[in-house]
Amino acid sequence: MMHLNDIPAKEVVPGLFGKFVHGEQTTLGIWEIKKGSKLPEHEHENEQITFIVEGELEMTIGGITTVFKAGNLQVIPPHVLHSATALTDVKVIDTWTPVREAYRFGLE
């Protein structure tokens, strides 16, 4: 068993702080994102599911820009370009399948 408070947060890009748990097939990410922070456009091999817990996050997914608010969620297929800008302070839960190796950071 783990407790979220025992997992160190890692600043992945300026203003985006993530805590990550990795299983055999899936990675879970819990984010705190500061207002105005930007996640540059990128793509990866992983299917991603994003759930907005709190705040407003503008995301561009496959060329379509949408403002996501608390309670919204989105499935992002593998290799689809996406980016985000925090319009407020935001809390987000993401999952990736297969495991998001880029977020291991040598902590496990």
Side-chain angles (χ1 to χ4, degrees):
M1 175 172 354
M2 298 180 186
H3 193 282
L4 185 60
N5 291 339
D6 296 332
I7 301 171
K10 185 75 171 178
E11 190 171 19
V12 176
V13 297
L16 278 81
F17 298 87
K19 295 183 176 196
F20 306 97
V21 177
H22 308 282
E24 284 188 37
Q25 303 293 323
T26 304
T27 297
L28 173 70
I30 301 163
W31 299 96
E32 290 194 14
I33 306 171
K34 301 296 181 193
K35 179 181 178 179
S37 299
K38 296 180 182 292
L39 179 64
E41 186 175 60
H42 66 286
E43 59 88 22
H44 40 72
E45 69 174 346
N46 318 80
E47 178 179 70
Q48 176 176 336
I49 300 175
T50 296
F51 174 68
I52 309 303
V53 177
E54 183 178 299
E56 294 185 11
L57 186 68
E58 180 182 271
M59 295 185 74
T60 300
I61 303 168
I64 299 170
T65 301
T66 305
V67 174
F68 291 84
K69 299 179 181 182
N72 292 140
L73 51 93
Q74 179 69 42
V75 176
I76 304 171
H79 302 292
V80 171
L81 288 171
H82 55 286
S83 62
T85 301
L87 302 179
T88 65
D89 287 347
V90 184
K91 292 184 180 177
V92 175
I93 297 172
D94 280 327
T95 64
W96 297 272
T97 302
V99 169
R100 187 76 193 269
E101 294 294 342
Y103 290 156
R104 282 204 187 266
F105 304 114
L107 299 175
E108 279 62 48

